[in-house]
């Protein structure tokens, strides 16, 4: 008499798929650091571009294109800083080099060169508009509700 045998399936060695979830912490930190560097460099780049456009004239009259650029670029930089770094204080990353650049541009060199003159209404409006934009975006980050934690 033979006993009934249960059917057995033979499974070849198969690798389990990688677990789904957030990337490893080191990769996440690296992406955030690279994002912070990009934001700082973008803050310097937009500041230089705004300074160059502060003296643009059409028909002999100053045009305020750098004021509009300062507002738009500073909004985008503030948003991208938060998205890239993931911290509310990240709005300071583009703001600090931007402010430093504007301060240096307003100081006369030994040779008498000056990037932002006091009689240039566009330059003064650009500084005020850019500073107010960073201030408003920073204030919005402070008042924003804390996003829910993933996995918790």
């Amino acid at each position: 008499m033979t006993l009934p045998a249960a059917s057995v399936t033979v499974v070849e060695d198969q690798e389990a798929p990688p677990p789904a979830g957030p990337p490893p912490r080191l990769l996440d930190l690296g992406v955030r650091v690279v994002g912070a560097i990009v934001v700082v460099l973008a803050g310097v780049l937009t500041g230089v571009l705004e300074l160059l456009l502060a003296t643009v004239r059409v028909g002999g009259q100053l045009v305020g294109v750098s004021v509009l650029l300062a507002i738009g670029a500073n909004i985008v930089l503030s948003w991208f800083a938060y998205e890239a770094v993931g911290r509310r204080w990240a709005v300071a990353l583009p703001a600090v080099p931007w402010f430093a650049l504007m301060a240096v541009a307003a100081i006369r060199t030994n040779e008498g060169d000056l990037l932002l003159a006091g009689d240039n209404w566009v330059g003064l409006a650009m500084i005020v508009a850019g500073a107010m934009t960073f201030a408003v975006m920073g204030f919005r980050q402070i008042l924003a509700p804390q996003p829910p934690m993933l996995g918790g």
Side-chain angles (χ1 to χ4, degrees):
M1 179 162 152
T2 58
L3 295 173
S7 64
V8 177
T9 58
V10 178
V11 178
E12 298 294 324
D13 290 334
Q14 294 178 353
E15 293 184 31
R25 289 183 58 87
L26 189 58
L27 177 64
D28 184 51
L29 178 64
V31 169
R32 289 175 191 259
V33 168
V34 169
I37 292 169
V38 167
V39 167
V40 169
L41 293 176
V44 171
L45 180 68
T46 59
V48 169
L49 185 60
E50 292 161 15
L51 286 170
L52 291 173
L53 294 176
T55 58
V56 170
R57 296 176 182 269
V58 173
Q61 299 296 320
L62 285 170
V63 223
V65 69
S66 66
V67 177
L68 299 175
L69 179 64
I71 294 170
N74 292 355
I75 289 172
V76 171
L77 285 174
S78 299
W79 169 82
F80 182 72
Y82 176 72
E83 291 295 321
V85 177
R87 301 284 186 249
R88 292 180 179 194
W89 56 262
V91 71
L93 290 173
V96 169
W98 188 88
F99 283 120
L101 192 60
M102 294 303 149
V104 168
I107 298 173
R108 189 174 301 277
T109 65
N110 291 337
E111 294 80 19
D113 298 332
L114 185 63
L115 292 175
L116 277 179
D119 61 350
N120 183 348
W121 69 268
V122 175
L124 297 175
M126 176 188 64
I127 292 174
V128 170
M132 290 300 295
T133 302
F134 277 128
V136 167
M137 294 301 288
F139 192 65
R140 287 189 63 206
Q141 286 299 328
I142 291 171
L143 293 181
Q146 185 70 23
M149 298 300 290
L150 295 176

